Amino acid sequence: MIQEKKAFAPNQKVSPFIGLLLFLISIVLVVFTTPLGFIYGVFHNLFTKGFSGIGEFLLQIAISIDQLGNVVMQHLLNTLWIKKSGYKFGNRDETISSVIGKNKQLRTLTFFGKNMDRILEFIEANHSLNSIDYYVQPDK
């Protein structure tokens, strides 16, 4: 059976109560299930794929945390790291590094944004530019 892929809808109208309720439920779930899932995932990957499997698993987790940071810190990062005309942080499907890379190309990084890019460059050459995700659905 062929299923139609649903389009990304970032700006749905949600009541504050529903948003708060879902936020609280997600916090409870992450506190109680993450340690168990992490331990199981490490051993599962170790025994099925070896040490490289653990590396892949940890990279997936790092990318997910990065995407969370892009949403949670969007207002702060939009204020401190980019100029007003820059490509905005906040898309839940994009990493912070991807947004930095897009703003580097647009030349809209502020002093703080350029310094963060330099730190990323020290860790990995061209990290922010290589992290650009061209297939992210833009916010409306």
Side-chain angles (χ1 to χ4, degrees):
M1 180 165 89
I2 298 174
Q3 295 181 351
E4 184 178 331
K5 187 175 180 179
K6 293 185 178 184
F8 174 67
N11 297 325
Q12 297 179 33
K13 297 282 184 189
V14 178
S15 81
F17 175 74
I18 296 296
L20 178 63
L21 182 64
L22 292 174
F23 173 75
L24 293 174
I25 290 170
S26 70
I27 294 297
V28 169
L29 285 173
V30 80
V31 166
F32 290 108
T33 63
T34 299
L36 179 62
F38 178 77
I39 292 168
Y40 183 84
V42 166
F43 284 111
H44 175 78
N45 282 293
L46 179 62
F47 293 120
T48 59
K49 299 178 184 175
F51 285 110
S52 66
I54 293 174
E56 292 172 12
F57 181 60
L58 295 176
L59 179 62
Q60 289 174 332
I61 293 170
I63 291 170
S64 296
I65 292 169
D66 197 348
Q67 290 172 318
L68 175 64
N70 188 24
V71 173
V72 172
M73 299 186 309
Q74 65 182 302
H75 304 293
L76 180 64
L77 299 181
N78 284 333
T79 301
L80 296 178
W81 288 4
I82 60 171
K83 298 174 184 173
K84 289 188 181 192
S85 62
Y87 179 83
K88 303 293 184 210
F89 290 91
N91 189 320
R92 66 184 179 205
D93 290 331
E94 191 167 20
T95 63
I96 293 171
S97 298
S98 174
V99 178
I100 291 172
K102 289 176 181 179
N103 282 294
K104 183 176 184 175
Q105 285 182 327
L106 295 170
R107 299 178 193 262
T108 53
L109 290 173
T110 64
F111 172 78
F112 296 110
K114 289 176 184 175
N115 283 329
M116 180 50 64
D117 184 55
R118 285 185 193 105
I119 292 169
L120 295 171
E121 283 280 328
F122 179 75
I123 296 168
E124 177 187 36
N126 294 316
H127 176 81
S128 63
L129 295 175
N130 292 337
S131 297
I132 294 175
D133 188 350
Y134 293 102
Y135 303 104
V136 173
Q137 288 278 357
D139 285 339
K140 294 183 180 182

